Amino acid sequence: MDSVQSRFTQLSGALSRQIIGQSQLVERLLLALLADGHLLVEGAPGLAKTRAIRELGKRLEGSFHRIQFTPDLLPADLTGTDIYRPQDGSFVFQPGPLFHNLILADEINRAPAKVQSALLEAMGERQITVGQKTYHLTDPFLVMATQNPIEQEGTYPLPEAQLDRFLLHIRIDYPPVETERQILALARAEAVAGIGTPGSASLEPEVQRLSVADLHQARQEVFALHLADNLEEYLLQIILATRRPQPYGDDLAGAIQYGASPRASIALDRCSRARAWLAGRDYVSPEDIQNLAFDVLRHRVILSYEAEAGGMTVDRLVGELIARIPVP
């Protein structure tokens, strides 16, 4: 294992010790970082979503900023705005919180559409436009947005164009009892050490921060990882089946209103390579593609009214497609 992979292994281990019981969240965070994409996390309050990206920020060269989305938020609260200077009559651009490396968009669906749309250009093109000027964002730039699935009042569903810009959409659940016992032990240890307040120290031994140069090297290795031609065809067939599922069963005909966009193909390709690289392999396996298909497609496929009325879910549909599409 080379040095860059070793550093990512150390990073994964350090995050797992601080974010107990959410191994999938830790892995997906690293996949988003390696694949240069954004993450949408859905889960009940208290499941370490905020803690996860904050701990990642401590171990990555760059800056972290949390944005609490509320109904009264304005687009300029994200992007920044031109400030008038009366002493010389000029305008000076004051950057907003999007000019950080790691962004936590907490409860993103609590802000109205005009605020959510402020993220579209930032997430898609890594730049923002204020007035007549365009400003490039910092590199790396990763948005982890959270939304609470149990509250609907006072929320604004994310538009499809916004959802499509997220590399992955993951759902996390409550930990089992043994894991929760470990969480209690960690919380007690932190309380005894006086941890838990902003700027406090960590129980975790000092971990070398991952540099931007290391991240760029890791991404180059990930994108160069071998993907066999037959596996690439398998990946594409999964995506195409979300647009035309009829060949895989009459029961799936008419189940989909809109299939996944080409962004889904790119996301599944990049994330499959990143997962294989994190595992120390120099090739992508069918299991990498199957494992990530749910998180890549969950927010990109829109079911028909008839399918939803019949109890179909996107996860169930993706599971059926994976079971029916021949594995090379």
Side-chain angles (χ1 to χ4, degrees):
M1 182 180 291
D2 66 26
S3 58
V4 177
Q5 279 185 314
S6 298
R7 282 193 280 277
F8 266 87
T9 300
Q10 293 170 5
L11 175 60
S12 177
L15 290 175
S16 296
R17 287 188 291 273
Q18 293 296 314
I19 309 156
I20 299 172
Q22 298 294 355
S23 57
Q24 184 191 30
L25 177 58
V26 170
E27 183 195 51
R28 278 8 184 199
L29 259 178
L30 296 182
L31 291 182
L33 197 62
L34 286 167
D36 195 16
H38 309 289
L39 195 63
L40 177 61
V41 182
E42 188 175 309
L47 295 182
K49 300 185 293 293
T50 301
R51 182 184 179 104
I53 195 163
R54 186 174 64 237
E55 291 293 332
L56 177 61
K58 292 178 183 177
R59 293 162 174 81
L60 181 69
E61 277 188 5
S63 55
F64 162 75
H65 193 91
R66 172 180 176 172
I67 307 171
Q68 187 65 49
F69 279 66
T70 55
D72 60 347
L73 206 65
L74 297 174
D77 295 328
L78 304 183
T79 61
T81 188
D82 290 324
I83 304 296
Y84 178 69
R85 299 180 60 182
Q87 57 267 35
D88 58 9
S90 64
F91 285 89
V92 176
F93 178 67
Q94 180 66 42
L98 289 182
F99 287 85
H100 289 79
N101 299 105
L102 298 179
I103 305 294
L104 173 62
D106 207 12
E107 295 188 292
I108 188 173
N109 55 336
R110 288 200 175 279
K114 65 179 180 180
V115 177
Q116 295 174 9
S117 64
L119 281 173
L120 285 175
E121 184 182 13
M123 293 173 62
E125 302 174 44
R126 311 303 168 92
Q127 65 182 31
I128 63 164
T129 302
V130 178
Q132 302 297 317
K133 292 186 178 179
T134 296
Y135 302 90
H136 293 282
L137 299 174
T138 52
D139 182 39
F141 177 68
L142 184 149
V143 174
M144 184 180 117
T146 69
Q147 60 181 17
N148 186 342
I150 61 176
E151 293 184 27
Q152 299 300 324
E153 182 135 5
T155 61
Y156 304 82
L158 297 179
E160 285 71 24
Q162 177 82 40
L163 287 171
D164 201 26
R165 280 164 171 78
F166 284 102
L167 185 80
L168 299 169
H169 174 195
I170 74 168
R171 289 177 177 153
I172 58 177
D173 205 349
Y174 296 106
V177 64
E178 286 303 320
T179 301
E180 194 139 357
R181 195 170 280 118
Q182 297 175 42
I183 295 172
L184 279 176
L186 177 62
R188 282 194 297 266
E190 290 182 341
V192 170
I195 297 173
T197 56
S200 60
S202 173
L203 290 174
E204 186 72 19
E206 186 67 28
V207 177
Q208 181 181 0
R209 300 181 82 188
L210 193 72
S211 70
V212 174
D214 287 339
L215 178 58
H216 287 168
Q217 181 182 340
R219 285 176 177 173
Q220 288 178 354
E221 294 181 9
V222 165
F223 298 154
L225 200 77
H226 177 67
L227 175 64
D229 291 342
N230 60 347
L231 276 185
E232 181 176 286
E233 181 63 26
Y234 176 61
L235 181 154
L236 290 173
Q237 289 303 317
I238 292 175
I239 303 300
L240 293 175
T242 68
R243 304 168 193 167
R244 295 186 293 276
Q246 294 89 340
Y248 301 102
D250 293 337
D251 57 325
L252 300 182
I256 298 174
Q257 185 176 2
Y258 293 105
S261 75
R263 281 198 185 102
S265 304
I266 296 170
L268 190 53
D269 173 78
R270 289 187 175 187
C271 290
S272 298
R273 293 173 192 266
R275 187 174 187 268
W277 186 86
L278 279 176
R281 287 182 276 112
D282 60 358
Y283 61 92
V284 176
S285 71
E287 198 271 335
D288 293 320
I289 298 172
Q290 294 166 352
N291 178 273
L292 287 157
F294 295 91
D295 293 347
V296 167
L297 297 172
R298 181 175 291 128
H299 55 303
R300 291 185 165 100
V301 174
I302 301 177
L303 299 177
S304 65
Y305 173 79
E306 293 77 13
E308 288 186 336
M312 177 69 78
T313 64
V314 175
D315 281 6
R316 180 182 161 195
L317 174 71
V318 173
E320 289 291 339
L321 292 176
I322 289 175
R324 301 181 192 190
I325 296 174
V327 180

